[in-house]
């Protein structure tokens, strides 16, 4: 049961003086923070360690797990007399005009500063997983699409734009990126991840962190750690991952983003690993994150995660117990609103249940971050673009969070993330003439483009009378614009889910009378069971949702060539249907410009260059499976189940062709601490420009622990004009092939290796192999090891 605050064992100390050296910006932050903390009462200290979620609905489902039973009513005016650590989602809780919201936030911050003794504003945070989750803000492709683009620089540019928009309206912290590595495609949050490979997730995620931080926004890594490895792919299910899976698969993206990305915040996950919830794990949040990796920022709670120690995990008896466990582990800030770190914590400290030193430790980290953000300075600059004394309504329409340059960037990322899975008869690109039947429940719905953390899907669906706030062309609208000389007709066929088959005959009839049928199928993003993809929308198997498989069968039976376009948050089993398709394009919730991007791919205006960040399963069962399986996890003669994917990780086709080779010379032997350059020449042998994604994998034939058949250690996207050649160089270091050995430590082991230049993770797609022997002693490595395989490209000049 929840702990009721008890009478204090000792009276509260009189309030210390306010003024002091902490107000002097010329002093180093450590000195300012130490002076300020010494002047705070216990209540004022605790107030800096929690957020308040103004406007959160305690009666509805909301946008966070158990929101309806975890939100306590608060008296905002009374609460802020102690100060306030964070403001939760001032733009992402309900639709608000950005200009109005900016002025309202500035006024709220002024009230907070005036109410507390020290005049310190709150730190305002927002979600920004697929763009700033605010009404009217650009909806970019979801993270799984970032992975499909294999383009860290473009993702960094997107993150910088997102961060700049957030800063322009007064937000300080963004709750992104998600660095969970996909372990089971049935998990609903696959759309929020970057892919199934830790190196791809790490490099793309770190690029996002750099971009967001470059705009002055505190990037928050989530969910630390293990969340995506939940048993049975059920959201918030226990994690059964072993120490090596954690060390070699789950943790590396966080390690890179902390060390190389400069992330200033980490959010603990809801997971419990081997019976220990992450929010109560000092070995994870303090021992590894801080003592080993050297992280100096703040650890924030996933929403209600501290309370869940009491209500879901049952490792705390009451709110004070949950606060003690979380503070001891290293959780500095309770989000989204005060529950355990408020009066219950103050009373527990005064009763000797919680050591005040734990409060002081978290306070120090929180105040340091506020100092870095300028929130302790006596004369804080006014909010950009917001005139002093402005009333909220007067600012309506003054802030544009979806300008043309954002939309152009969203279009480019959407185009680069589309994956051409199959084109067996060269049906694509479409000719753009004759009759085109567009069929499917995703063809004419703007929400088909958006993931569950895009504002229209996340919050807007609860406000059906409010306009979407951004223009999101559908696939149908985009195809009609792309092919003005074709007759483009539409039939829905069936819903995304459900059992109503009454529209399938009409759709099949439309297809039968057409020259080509474009079937647009996929997911509806939602939250907690309200969608087929998204947080809390886990799948029991990997069949296409609802009756969409039956609809596709009916279309294929007509004999009309069928091009399948998938708009999904995960990949689905295509099985025997794949062989009967005229073409197949996969897009992962490609954002507000996804419709025109897909139309461009289908017309050939865009040459597809996306590559799969997760494999496409052959059958709906046989999961979980990723390409990182050791030998016993792959197809073999002792089981009738074959988990081999239909299309492997890294797969993707183009409308042009590429030739690889020859490679540059490399030594036959290399010491276990050695490095060398690997190179290969790539030529566009087709008649149009395109981009190849050169992937470098390591194959370790014999090792002291079981290893994957291959593992990605480098990649680069190489744009090439028709006939152009480029030499691609990889700066290989032996650290890149390290793994966790039998002793539980990361090692570089001497022995034979194969370094494979490949177009995907499938052995059949290997274009060139470098055989290398590592010599010398086994070498232990730690977080200071080389994490990235740097790449360069240079033109190849041929004699005329």
């Amino acid at each position: 049961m929840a702990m009721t605050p008890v009478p204090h064992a000792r009276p509260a100390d009189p309030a210390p003086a306010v003024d002091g050296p902490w107000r002097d910006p010329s002093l180093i932050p450590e000195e300012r923070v130490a002076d300020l903390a010494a002047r705070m009462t216990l209540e004022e200290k605790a107030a800096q360690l929690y957020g308040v979620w103004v406007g959160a609905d305690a009666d509805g489902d909301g946008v966070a797990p158990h929101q309806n039973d975890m939100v306590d009513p608060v008296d905002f005016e009374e609460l802020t007399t102690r100060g306030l650590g964070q403001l939760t989602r001032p733009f992402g809780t309900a639709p608000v005009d950005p200009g109005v919201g900016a002025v309202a936030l500035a006024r709220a911050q002024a009230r907070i500063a005036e109410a507390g003794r020290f005049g310190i504003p709150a730190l305002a945070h927002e979600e920004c997983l697929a763009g700033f989750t605010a009404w009217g803000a650009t909806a970019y492709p979801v993270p799984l699409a970032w992975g499909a683009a294999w383009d860290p620089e473009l993702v960094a540019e997107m993150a910088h734009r997102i961060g700049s928009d957030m800063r322009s309206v007064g937000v300080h912290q963004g709750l992104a990126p998600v660095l969970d590595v996909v372990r089971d495609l049935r998990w609903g949050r696959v759309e929020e991840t970057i892919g199934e490979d830790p190196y791809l997730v790490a490099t793309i995620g770190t690029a996002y962190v750099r971009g967001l931080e470059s705009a002055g926004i505190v990037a928050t890594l989530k969910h630390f750690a293990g969340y995506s490895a939940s048993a049975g792919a059920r959201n918030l299910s226990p994690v059964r991952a072993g120490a090596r899976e954690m060390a070699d698969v789950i943790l590396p993206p966080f390690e890179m983003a902390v060390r190389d990305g400069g992330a200033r915040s980490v959010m603990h996950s809801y997971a419990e690993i081997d019976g220990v919830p992450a929010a109560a794990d000092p070995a994870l949040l303090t021992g590894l994150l801080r003592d080993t990796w050297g992280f100096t920022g703040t650890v924030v709670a996933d929403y209600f995660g501290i309370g869940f120690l009491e209500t879901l995990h049952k490792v705390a008896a009451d709110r004070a117990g949950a606060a003690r466990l979380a503070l001891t582990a290293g959780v500095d800030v309770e989000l989204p609103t005060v529950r355990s770190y408020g009066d219950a914590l103050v009373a527990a400290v005064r009763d000797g249940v919680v050591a005040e030193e734990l409060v002081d430790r978290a306070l120090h980290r929180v105040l340091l971050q506020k100092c870095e953000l300028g929130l302790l300075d006596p004369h804080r600059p006014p909010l950009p673009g917001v005139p002093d004394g402005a009333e909220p309504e007067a600012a309506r329409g003054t802030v544009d969070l979806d300008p043309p340059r954002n939309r152009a960037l969203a279009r480019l990322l959407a185009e680069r993330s589309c994956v051409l899975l199959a084109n067996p008869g060269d049906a694509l690109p479409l000719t753009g003439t004759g009759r085109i039947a567009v069929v499917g429940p995703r063809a004419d719905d703007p929400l088909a483009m958006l993931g569950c953390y895009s504002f229209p899907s996340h919050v807007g669906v609860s406000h059906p009378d409010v306009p979407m706030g951004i223009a999101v062309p559908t696939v149908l609208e985009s195809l009609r614009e792309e092919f003005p000389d074709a007759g483009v007709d539409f039939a829905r066929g069936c819903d995304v889910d459900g059992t109503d088959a009454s529209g399938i005959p009409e759709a099949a009839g439309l297809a039968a009378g057409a020259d080509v049928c474009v079937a647009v199928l996929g997911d509806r993003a939602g939250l907690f069971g309200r969608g087929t993809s998204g947080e809390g929308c886990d799948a029991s198997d990997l069949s296409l949702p609802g009756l969409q498989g039956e609809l596709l069968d009916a279309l294929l039976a007509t004999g009309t060539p069928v091009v399948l376009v998938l708009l999904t948050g995960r990949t689905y089993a295509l099985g025997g249907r794949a062989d009967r398709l005229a073409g197949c394009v996969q897009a992962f919730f490609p954002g507000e410009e996804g419709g025109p991007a897909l139309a461009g791919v289908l017309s050939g205006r865009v040459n597809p260059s996306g590559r799969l960040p997760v494999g496409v399963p052959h059958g709906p069962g046989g999961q979980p499976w990723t390409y990182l399986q050791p030998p016993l996890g792959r197809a073999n003669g002792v089981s009738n189940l074959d988990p081999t994917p239909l299309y492997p990780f890294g797969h993707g086709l183009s409308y042009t062709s590429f030739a690889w080779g020859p490679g540059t010379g490399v030594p036959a032997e290399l010491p276990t601490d050695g490095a060398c350059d690997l190179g290969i020449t790539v030529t566009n042998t087709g008649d149009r420009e395109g981009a190849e994604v050169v992937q470098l994998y390591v194959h370790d034939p014999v090792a002291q622990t079981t290893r994957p058949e291959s593992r990605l250690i480098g990649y680069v996207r190489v744009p090439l004009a028709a006939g152009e050649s480029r030499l691609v160089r990889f700066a290989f270091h032996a650290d890149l092939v390290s793994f966790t050995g039998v002793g539980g430590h990361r090692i570089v082991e001497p022995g034979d290796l194969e370094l494979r230049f490949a177009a995907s993770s499938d052995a059949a797609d290997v274009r060139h192999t470098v055989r290398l022997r590592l010599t010398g002693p086994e070498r232990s490595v730690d977080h200071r090891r080389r994490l990235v395989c740097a790449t360069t490209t240079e033109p190849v000049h041929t004699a005329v």
Side-chain angles (χ1 to χ4, degrees):
M1 76 172 22
M3 176 179 175
T4 302
V6 297
H8 296 161
R10 59 181 174 84
D13 295 328
V18 171
D19 288 329
W22 72 271
R23 290 191 184 275
D24 184 355
S26 69
L27 297 178
I28 63 172
E30 290 280 355
E31 291 181 6
R32 297 177 67 187
V33 166
D35 179 70
L36 174 58
R39 298 174 186 277
M40 287 183 162
T41 66
L42 179 58
E43 287 82 359
E44 289 168 334
K45 292 177 181 179
Q48 291 297 318
L49 308 186
Y50 55 71
V52 171
W53 197 356
V54 179
D57 185 3
D59 298 322
D61 294 330
V63 295
H66 293 271
Q67 179 181 326
N68 55 343
D69 55 29
M70 294 292 286
V71 173
D72 293 336
V74 297
D75 184 336
F76 184 78
E77 299 299 335
E78 189 279 328
L79 198 67
T80 54
T81 60
R82 313 171 194 179
L84 183 62
Q86 292 233 2
L87 273 174
T88 292
R89 303 193 66 180
F91 292 86
T93 301
V96 58
D97 176 90
V100 173
V103 174
L105 175 57
R107 293 181 65 182
Q109 292 281 36
R111 287 163 52 200
I112 293 167
E114 291 167 1
R117 289 194 308 129
F118 298 96
I120 302 172
L123 191 153
H125 76 260
E126 285 289 352
E127 298 282 1
C128 56
L129 186 72
F132 181 12
T133 307
W135 186 84
T138 304
Y140 291 96
V142 299
L144 200 58
W146 313 347
W150 295 65
D151 193 338
E153 292 77 15
L154 190 60
V155 170
E157 183 181 353
M158 174 197 67
H160 180 82
R161 298 270 183 91
I162 293 169
S164 298
D165 287 341
M166 296 169 75
R167 283 296 284 171
S168 75
V169 293
V171 175
H172 307 101
Q173 181 173 3
L175 304 187
V178 169
L179 297 182
D180 296 300
V181 179
V182 174
R183 303 304 286 159
D184 190 330
L185 287 166
R186 296 172 298 175
W187 192 48
R189 304 191 78 165
V190 168
E191 66 172 72
E192 300 179 43
T193 73
I194 295 167
E196 69 180 54
D197 178 84
Y199 187 82
L200 182 67
V201 174
T203 50
I204 297 289
T206 298
Y208 182 94
V209 169
R210 288 179 180 142
L212 202 65
E213 290 277 359
S214 72
I217 292 292
V218 175
T220 306
L221 312 181
K222 59 185 191 181
H223 307 87
F224 192 64
Y227 187 29
S228 58
S230 58
R234 292 180 60 250
N235 198 38
L236 273 69
S237 178
V239 171
R240 311 295 188 207
R244 287 180 182 82
E245 182 177 354
M246 290 294 295
D248 292 346
V249 178
I250 301 297
L251 292 173
F254 294 95
E255 185 179 7
M256 187 184 293
V258 166
R259 204 190 84 175
D260 293 352
R264 288 184 284 173
S265 188
V266 169
M267 175 181 280
H268 77 71
S269 93
Y270 291 132
E272 59 176 78
I273 303 170
D274 196 23
V276 180
D281 189 351
L284 179 70
L285 300 183
T286 297
L288 178 65
L289 179 62
R290 294 189 184 279
D291 298 342
T292 299
W293 292 351
F295 177 70
T296 59
T298 57
V299 174
V300 302
D302 203 347
Y303 282 13
F304 308 116
I306 296 174
F308 288 165
L309 295 176
E310 172 197 353
T311 62
L312 296 184
H313 295 295
K314 306 293 186 181
V315 295
D318 50 32
R319 298 187 184 198
R324 177 181 59 81
L325 287 174
L327 280 171
T328 300
V331 183
D332 304 311
V333 180
E334 180 177 29
L335 298 180
T337 197
V338 58
R339 191 175 190 275
S340 300
Y341 279 13
D343 290 340
L345 173 59
V346 171
V349 171
R350 290 219 160 92
D351 286 347
V353 175
V354 177
E356 189 165 355
E357 288 78 8
L358 294 175
V359 175
D360 291 340
R361 183 178 70 171
L363 174 70
H364 178 81
R365 296 164 181 165
V366 168
L367 292 181
L368 269 181
Q369 195 157 89
K370 286 195 170 186
C371 189
E372 291 173 359
L373 293 167
L375 298 180
L376 303 189
D377 295 348
H379 301 292
R380 290 175 295 277
L383 190 65
V386 178
D388 290 339
E391 290 298 317
E393 285 304 314
R396 186 173 296 277
T398 60
V399 175
D400 184 1
L401 296 179
D402 189 32
R405 66 173 189 165
N406 282 18
R407 296 195 70 95
L409 181 59
R411 170 83 68 93
L412 182 59
L413 183 54
E415 290 174 349
R416 290 189 180 177
S417 68
C418 291
V419 183
L420 179 60
L421 293 181
N423 192 22
D426 293 328
L428 294 174
L430 300 178
T431 62
T433 59
R435 303 212 62 82
I436 302 174
V438 180
V439 175
R442 300 287 75 196
D444 197 29
D445 184 351
L447 292 179
M449 302 296 162
L450 308 180
C452 77
Y453 269 79
S454 296
F455 187 89
S457 297
H458 198 67
V459 177
V461 291
S462 299
H463 303 269
D465 297 333
V466 177
M468 185 176 287
I470 53 175
V472 185
T474 68
V475 172
L476 178 63
E477 293 167 344
S478 301
L479 287 175
R480 283 175 171 160
E481 183 171 344
E482 192 80 20
F483 296 124
D485 297 328
V488 180
D489 300 307
F490 168 67
R492 183 177 180 83
C494 66
D495 293 329
V496 172
D497 48 6
T499 59
D500 183 2
S502 61
I504 293 179
E506 176 194 357
L510 185 70
D515 296 296
V516 66
C517 174
V518 177
V520 188
L521 311 180
D523 280 315
R524 181 184 66 253
L527 292 167
F528 311 117
R530 298 193 292 274
T532 60
S533 173
E535 185 173 358
C537 298
D538 310 316
S540 58
D541 64 38
L542 294 174
S543 303
L544 284 166
L547 298 180
Q548 293 183 80
E550 287 81 347
L551 172 61
L552 183 56
D553 287 338
L555 299 176
L556 291 168
T558 64
T560 298
V562 176
V563 173
L564 176 60
V565 174
L566 291 162
L567 285 162
T568 64
R570 58 167 69 85
T571 50
Y572 285 100
L574 299 179
R577 299 183 179 112
D579 295 336
R580 295 183 285 157
L581 294 171
C584 186
V585 177
Q586 171 71 64
F588 301 106
F589 293 133
E592 64 183 29
E593 287 290 322
L598 279 164
V601 168
L602 295 178
S603 72
R605 175 174 51 82
V606 175
N607 191 351
S609 62
R611 301 294 186 266
L612 285 173
V614 291
V616 175
H618 190 281
Q623 297 292 319
W625 198 91
T626 79
Y627 92 97
L628 293 171
Q629 293 295 329
L632 286 183
R634 308 178 79 85
N636 54 55
V638 299
S639 173
N640 63 309
L641 296 178
D642 183 353
T644 305
L646 179 65
Y647 300 113
F649 171 84
H651 169 79
L653 304 179
S654 172
Y655 293 147
T656 189
S657 56
F658 302 97
W660 297 35
T664 59
V666 296
E669 294 186 348
L670 199 69
T672 53
D673 62 351
C676 67
D677 281 348
L678 308 173
I680 193 164
T681 301
V682 181
T683 302
N684 182 345
T685 56
D687 58 2
R688 58 176 295 169
E689 66 178 1
E692 178 70 296
V693 177
V694 179
Q695 302 161 43
L696 178 62
Y697 294 85
V698 60
H699 168 66
D700 193 344
V702 179
Q704 61 183 256
T705 61
T706 60
R707 306 297 301 140
E709 167 67 18
S710 65
R711 176 171 63 89
L712 185 73
I713 59 171
Y715 66 89
V716 63
R717 183 180 184 275
V718 187
L720 294 165
E724 183 184 9
S725 297
R726 295 191 74 85
L727 175 62
V728 182
R729 294 186 184 273
F730 290 80
F732 172 78
H733 191 283
D735 286 357
L736 296 168
V737 301
S738 64
F739 62 94
T740 303
V742 293
H745 306 293
R746 182 174 292 277
I747 62 168
V748 179
E749 185 181 33
D752 293 327
L753 295 175
E754 289 183 8
L755 302 177
R756 299 172 172 176
F757 290 101
S760 83
S761 59
D762 193 308
D765 285 330
V766 174
R767 302 290 192 260
H768 183 66
T769 299
V770 175
R771 290 175 174 83
L772 188 67
R773 183 171 182 82
L774 296 182
T775 60
E778 178 180 294
R779 187 168 65 93
S780 294
V781 296
D782 58 20
H783 63 285
R784 293 167 293 186
R785 70 192 184 280
R786 187 79 59 88
L787 297 176
V788 178
C789 188
T791 61
T792 58
T793 68
E794 57 190 71
V796 175
H797 300 289
T798 56
V800 178

